[in-house]
Amino acid sequence: PIWLSTQQELIKATDALLPGDFTDPIGQADLLDSDVLEGNVRLFISSKIEVQSLTIEAYIQKVLPKFFNGGGQNDLSKYQNLVTELAKHPSLIDDDESKKLLASLPLIPTLDGNWSTPENTYRRTDDLVKVLGEATHLWLDSTRIPDSPAVTGFLNSLGILKKPSPAHLVERMRNIAENYNPPTEEAKKLSEEAFYKLCELYKKEPLKLRSVGKKTI
């Protein structure tokens, strides 16, 4: 940690970014203080030590994983500012690497008070409750995201689910079996709903479902 940051702290080059064309909306990026860097030093840092400039792509790669995986999204004000800013960059969805990284982060608030990835989250509907049960860990909590069409579209583009996934249907049937022993008529009906939905998915995507089954059962 020998490099001076904009916060007047010494940081490692591996954690650092040079000021660039993106403005960090939550103040999480470790930026080098460019005022103390002469031209040759800045060139050395960028070309030899390979410190990146702060672009939206570099921000997603270096800053967001630490923020989300460290529970930073629990600061609701910072989280809302962040997703509002990200939603202003729809080009991120067209960049496979950026989209994949964003989709892997627990950036969706759920009704059980926790956070989840887009591919494990739904917008709650009666049809989904019918086959998945009142699974609050699967439902997006709209009260914690900005009321903005841009944010809604951005989060949807990251892969929020619209139809029940095979893995969640299997999880539903296993939970019913564990919670109703011996099985009641209600349990049979609930399990039947999930099972027939699973059969529908099998008809449409048999190879995908077989792969899920091998991992789950």
Side-chain angles (χ1 to χ4, degrees):
I2 63 172
W3 304 100
L4 187 65
S5 75
T6 54
Q7 301 297 321
Q8 301 304 298
E9 297 175 350
L10 294 177
I11 59 176
K12 298 177 182 179
T14 51
D15 297 330
L17 290 165
L18 288 164
D21 60 8
F22 179 71
T23 301
D24 177 7
I26 54 175
Q28 295 292 121
D30 290 324
L31 294 178
L32 294 181
D33 186 351
S34 59
D35 290 340
V36 301
L37 301 178
E38 296 181 356
N40 288 339
V41 176
R42 184 176 177 122
L43 179 62
F44 172 78
I45 289 173
S46 60
S47 63
K48 299 299 183 181
I49 305 183
E50 298 182 346
V51 174
Q52 297 174 277
S53 293
L54 181 59
T55 62
I56 182 64
E57 292 80 12
Y59 187 73
I60 290 172
Q61 292 169 14
K62 297 201 66 171
V63 180
L64 291 195
K66 291 189 291 185
F67 177 72
F68 281 102
N69 294 326
Q73 70 272 39
N74 289 315
D75 185 327
L76 198 57
S77 177
K78 284 187 176 181
Y79 167 77
Q80 293 180 342
N81 288 341
L82 177 62
V83 292
T84 298
E85 180 62 34
L86 292 176
K88 296 177 183 177
H89 300 268
S91 60
L92 292 173
I93 304 303
D94 299 324
D95 180 74
D96 290 341
E97 185 176 353
S98 295
K99 182 179 179 180
K100 183 178 180 180
L101 181 52
L102 285 167
S104 72
L105 297 174
L107 50 72
I108 307 297
T110 51
L111 283 179
D112 64 349
N114 293 313
W115 299 82
S116 187
T117 58
E119 63 180 9
N120 282 304
T121 314
Y122 307 80
R123 294 182 185 277
R124 185 187 181 281
T125 67
D126 291 341
D127 287 341
L128 287 172
V129 171
K130 188 176 181 180
V131 292
L132 295 176
E134 193 54 89
T136 54
H137 67 290
L138 297 178
W139 312 140
L140 178 148
D141 182 359
S142 59
T143 65
R144 286 192 279 165
I145 63 172
D147 184 13
S148 159
V151 171
T152 297
F154 177 74
L155 295 180
N156 286 343
S157 298
L158 292 179
I160 290 180
L161 298 171
K162 296 180 179 179
K163 299 179 181 179
S165 77
H168 290 152
L169 289 167
V170 172
E171 177 187 347
R172 169 65 167 162
M173 289 188 288
R174 291 177 64 177
N175 288 340
I176 292 171
E178 291 170 359
N179 293 324
Y180 292 86
N181 189 15
T184 63
E185 289 302 314
E186 179 188 6
K188 293 176 183 178
K189 183 177 180 181
L190 294 174
S191 187
E192 182 181 277
E193 294 280 1
F195 176 74
Y196 282 117
K197 179 59 70 172
L198 199 61
C199 291
E200 288 180 24
L201 295 176
Y202 183 82
K203 291 179 182 179
K204 296 176 182 178
E205 300 182 273
L207 294 178
K208 181 178 179 181
L209 189 56
R210 285 173 187 157
S211 174
V212 170
K214 288 178 181 178
K215 295 178 181 178
T216 306
I217 299 174

